[in-house]
Amino acid sequence: MPLRSLISGSPLLPLAATVVLLSGCQSSSIFQGGSPSLFADDPMRSAPPITRGLDAEGLRTLLAAELAGQRGDYRYASQGYLQASQRYGVPALAERAAFAARFGEDVALMEASALRWRELAPQAETPNRLLASISLQRGDWLDSLEQRLAITQGGGNGELTAFAELAVTESSANSNTAPLSLLAELLREHLAQPGAEQLEYHSDALLATALLEAALGNTRQAQAHLDDVAQREPESAALWLAQARLALEVDDVQTARRAAQKGLSIAPDEVRFILLLAQAEIRLNNIAAAEVQTNALLESHGGNQELRLALAQLYLEEGHSEPAYRLLQPLIGQDNVPNFAYYLLGGIAQSQGDIDNALLYYRQVSEGSEFLPARATAAKMLIEDNRLIDARAFLRIERMRYENYFGDLVALEVQLLDEMNQQEEASALLDRELTRTPDDINLLYLRAMRSWETGNLAGMEQDLRKLLRIDPNNANALNALGYTLADLNLPGRLEEARMLIERAYEVAPNNPAVLDSMGWVHFRLGKPDEALAWLESAYQQMPDQEIAAHLAEVLHALERSDEARDVISRIMQRTSQHPLIDDLLERHPELTPVGAP
């Protein structure tokens, strides 16, 4: 199937038209006056070189790319179109390259093609959309937002609200996923630009900023943005969705209920408004009214099992176990009861003080994503009930029942003992289990990290070396050992550290921890210029305080101290606990940002 037919709807230039465009007014004189002899000498042999238009090499590249696309070799097609776009500077060629790479699922080629497309057509919206998606896919939230803001600033819809919702959701699940404060800062800068309020999708930017401000606890600023949107677009469903969520966040339940009701009047089929209204009724202790909402929601979705579980979780999280149990009751006794149902039933029994029954439910959670959370919850429940011996016996039995989770369950017990300040018992358990399973790389890594925490560097290195003999390409072990050697700046071992980290990079080139280590070892080797690019890349993907401290120190070494202070200031604004930044400022007090405590 021809490539162009697979991407209908995109304004691609047909190949023939592209050839005409590139050829300009040139015509081959060999065809004038009749057909040329196939055996004649090449009349172009002594012609001057072509400096503009389509020459033989260019035509060959385009034809090869077109044929490759027709036979489904999208990678080769994309490479050909990209090469042609570099040679001739026609945006349509870069566009074809991008879409061919997209069909070939080649992210690197797609990114290169989209960058070239944007370079050739700065006003085009689609390349920025592609780049935003690619950045988000690899976890570069800041770059994705920058691409979306470029679309918005060009008068298009950057879909900022949807992006902010995803960032908040991901951040709540994993604190290292989306750097909310940095994203909010970018949006604030956008809103502060002259003329920003005149843009067509200004309300989208206001809503996105409000969501991030609310997630960061800046409820006053969030409400101010929502008030602004209410003046501009009072019938926006997204506005009332954000308003209801913010009101629940600040425990203004009446406002939340009114906002959810208003949203339902605008978008009666929007499930999230029904859920928010039910949540508001629950907070107001109107359980009967809440159940009317949730039952109606279930009925409209044909008793959807996932929805039933989500609603039961909502009731349980709000402290109402009875309606949660009523929702789950139809599932009991059925074949293939979902793991999450058993997990919730365990939570219900636990909330009612029925510890032994809760334990039975938790143990029925089989292998899957809920397996370890169920065992952790059950063990903590027993410990809180002053039954540490029972908790440890439970975990020991589970290790025997589930061989695939052996290492994870040992690590869980070690963690629980550490939390109870029983470090000696935890270490004894780890040593005992490693005696039984000496080649368990997860337990070796765990013991190595515990050795590092206690300053036992020889023990750490011994376990990591053994791990690497078993699994030579273990990126975590390579990086941990290499980084430790670099960070301690041990005499004569920096080259060894660099080699270990480079091996980790070969295995995991997109891991921000490895990128940070690459930058740090170059800095230790006295090469701050080479270190900077690595650390900037790591910080873009994971702007935590450790990488920030390294980046700031390298910037300072390069006499870019103002930029270093900016990095430090951002981290200090995000969190009140930043020991690594504090350590840096003790060594370099001149880097303390203005106004910092």
Side-chain angles (χ1 to χ4, degrees):
M1 183 179 295
L3 178 62
R4 67 169 75 80
S5 67
L6 290 173
I7 44 182
S8 59
S10 59
L12 298 184
L13 200 63
L15 180 64
T18 305
V19 171
V20 171
L21 175 63
L22 294 173
S23 300
C25 298
Q26 298 182 86
S27 60
S28 289
S29 57
I30 59 173
F31 288 103
Q32 294 176 3
S35 300
S37 168
L38 295 176
F39 304 100
D41 287 340
D42 182 2
M44 299 298 292
R45 183 177 297 163
S46 59
I50 296 175
T51 57
R52 59 187 298 272
L54 188 67
D55 60 5
E57 178 63 22
L59 181 60
R60 185 197 67 78
T61 301
L62 283 171
L63 286 173
E66 180 73 7
L67 291 171
Q70 291 187 20
R71 66 173 179 264
D73 187 352
Y74 299 119
R75 177 180 174 81
Y76 190 88
S78 177
Q79 290 172 330
Y81 289 126
L82 180 58
Q83 181 181 342
S85 76
Q86 298 286 358
R87 188 172 189 180
Y88 296 112
V90 176
L93 293 172
E95 182 179 6
R96 290 181 78 87
F99 279 95
R102 187 175 182 180
F103 280 105
E105 298 182 354
D106 190 317
V107 176
L109 260 177
M110 195 191 314
E111 184 172 20
S113 302
L115 286 169
R116 178 58 175 163
W117 183 4
R118 185 176 64 180
E119 180 184 350
L120 296 174
Q123 303 304 316
E125 189 174 301
T126 307
N128 280 324
R129 291 195 182 281
L130 285 173
L131 291 169
S133 298
I134 293 168
S135 297
L136 192 57
Q137 183 178 350
R138 66 167 178 250
D140 191 342
W141 292 84
L142 289 172
D143 187 70
S144 184
L145 179 56
E146 286 173 353
Q147 307 299 339
R148 294 169 190 276
L149 286 172
I151 294 171
T152 300
Q153 288 160 3
N157 183 2
E159 299 178 347
L160 300 173
T161 300
F163 172 83
E165 285 183 345
L166 181 60
V168 171
T169 301
E170 290 292 319
S171 182
S172 63
N174 180 350
S175 59
N176 288 330
T177 301
L180 297 188
S181 65
L182 297 180
L183 297 176
E185 187 174 328
L186 278 178
L187 281 164
R188 291 186 203 115
E189 291 173 358
H190 165 75
L191 294 178
Q193 289 181 353
E197 67 280 359
Q198 304 300 323
L199 294 171
E200 183 177 355
Y201 291 95
H202 184 59
S203 292
D204 183 42
L206 288 168
L207 281 172
T209 312
L211 290 173
L212 293 177
E213 296 286 18
L216 292 167
N218 304 326
T219 54
R220 183 177 300 177
Q221 294 91 323
Q223 188 60 61
H225 292 314
L226 293 180
D227 291 343
D228 198 350
V229 177
Q231 292 292 324
R232 294 169 171 271
E233 299 182 30
E235 297 301 306
S236 165
L239 162 66
W240 296 108
L241 192 64
Q243 181 65 75
R245 287 173 172 169
L246 178 60
L248 283 174
E249 185 74 23
V250 299
D251 208 27
D252 185 355
V253 185
Q254 295 287 359
T255 298
R257 180 166 64 173
R258 287 194 297 270
Q261 289 171 336
K262 174 66 175 177
L264 268 177
S265 69
I266 297 170
D269 295 328
E270 175 56 72
V271 171
R272 289 177 292 180
F273 285 124
I274 301 175
L275 286 172
L276 285 166
L277 185 55
Q279 192 171 0
E281 298 290 7
I282 293 170
R283 294 269 184 96
L284 291 167
N285 209 30
N286 298 331
I287 304 304
E291 288 193 272
V292 168
Q293 295 290 336
T294 53
N295 289 338
L297 187 58
L298 272 175
E299 187 176 345
S300 67
H301 284 75
N304 181 282
Q305 191 177 81
E306 291 184 2
L307 181 58
R308 182 179 295 277
L309 292 171
L311 293 171
Q313 182 182 15
L314 173 62
Y315 279 109
L316 188 57
E317 288 176 349
E318 294 292 339
H320 296 277
S321 59
E322 292 292 339
Y325 183 77
R326 284 195 287 272
L327 281 165
L328 295 175
Q329 200 170 19
L331 301 177
I332 300 173
Q334 291 185 1
D335 294 333
N336 302 317
V337 176
N339 275 338
F340 193 48
Y342 283 127
Y343 186 70
L344 290 175
L345 287 165
I348 291 170
Q350 183 179 351
S351 70
Q352 295 171 344
D354 191 352
I355 304 302
D356 291 327
N357 202 25
L359 184 61
L360 290 174
Y361 280 127
Y362 287 135
R363 293 191 67 177
Q364 290 185 77
V365 176
S366 58
E367 298 186 25
S369 59
E370 290 88 8
F371 178 88
L372 284 174
R375 271 64 190 177
T377 304
K380 290 178 181 178
M381 173 186 70
L382 291 170
I383 291 171
E384 290 169 1
D385 199 40
N386 296 316
R387 296 166 59 180
L388 174 61
I389 294 176
D390 290 344
R392 298 192 66 182
F394 161 68
L395 291 174
R396 184 171 62 254
I397 292 169
E398 294 300 278
R399 290 199 292 274
M400 291 187 289
R401 291 178 66 201
Y402 297 96
E403 185 179 344
N404 291 338
Y405 289 89
F406 175 83
D408 293 319
L409 290 167
V410 172
L412 173 59
E413 188 172 346
V414 168
Q415 178 188 341
L416 292 173
L417 289 169
D418 279 341
E419 290 174 358
M420 299 181 68
N421 293 318
Q422 296 193 23
Q423 282 79 16
E424 290 185 7
E425 280 289 324
S427 296
L429 168 66
L430 194 49
D431 291 342
R432 185 167 61 250
E433 297 301 342
L434 270 169
T435 300
R436 296 173 181 169
T437 56
D439 293 341
D440 191 309
I441 61 174
N442 292 327
L443 295 185
L444 283 169
Y445 187 80
L446 175 60
R447 190 167 68 177
M449 293 302 98
R450 285 171 59 80
S451 295
W452 175 78
E453 289 171 359
T454 58
N456 180 10
L457 299 177
M460 172 192 178
E461 183 168 357
Q462 180 179 349
D463 279 334
L464 290 179
R465 294 286 185 193
K466 181 175 181 179
L467 191 162
L468 289 170
R469 285 195 294 274
I470 300 167
D471 182 8
N473 293 321
N474 189 293
N476 288 332
L478 289 166
N479 186 59
L481 183 55
Y483 174 78
T484 301
L485 295 177
D487 194 47
L488 294 174
N489 209 9
L490 296 176
R493 303 198 68 180
L494 284 179
E495 278 299 325
E496 179 186 1
R498 180 185 60 77
M499 292 173 63
L500 287 164
I501 295 168
E502 285 181 350
R503 284 173 58 195
Y505 177 71
E506 289 174 2
V507 178
N510 296 316
N511 187 322
V514 175
L515 298 176
D516 174 55
S517 298
M518 286 286 284
W520 197 235
V521 74
H522 279 100
F523 178 67
R524 290 299 202 200
L525 286 165
K527 302 174 182 177
D529 287 305
E530 293 183 31
L532 184 61
W534 294 106
L535 291 171
E536 286 179 331
S537 180
Y539 184 70
Q540 274 194 336
Q541 293 186 48
M542 191 171 72
D544 68 6
Q545 64 161 311
E546 183 172 15
I547 298 176
H550 292 160
L551 177 58
E553 188 158 355
V554 169
L555 286 168
H556 182 54
L558 293 170
E559 299 182 352
R560 294 165 60 177
S561 300
D562 287 343
E563 294 174 59
R565 290 187 196 92
D566 288 341
V567 172
I568 292 169
S569 178
R570 288 185 178 187
I571 293 295
M572 295 179 77
Q573 289 172 11
R574 286 176 55 196
T575 175
S576 59
Q577 301 297 319
H578 33 70
L580 297 175
I581 293 294
D582 295 339
D583 179 64
L584 173 63
L585 294 179
E586 281 185 18
R587 291 183 284 111
H588 297 285
E590 66 275 18
L591 289 178
T592 304
V594 176

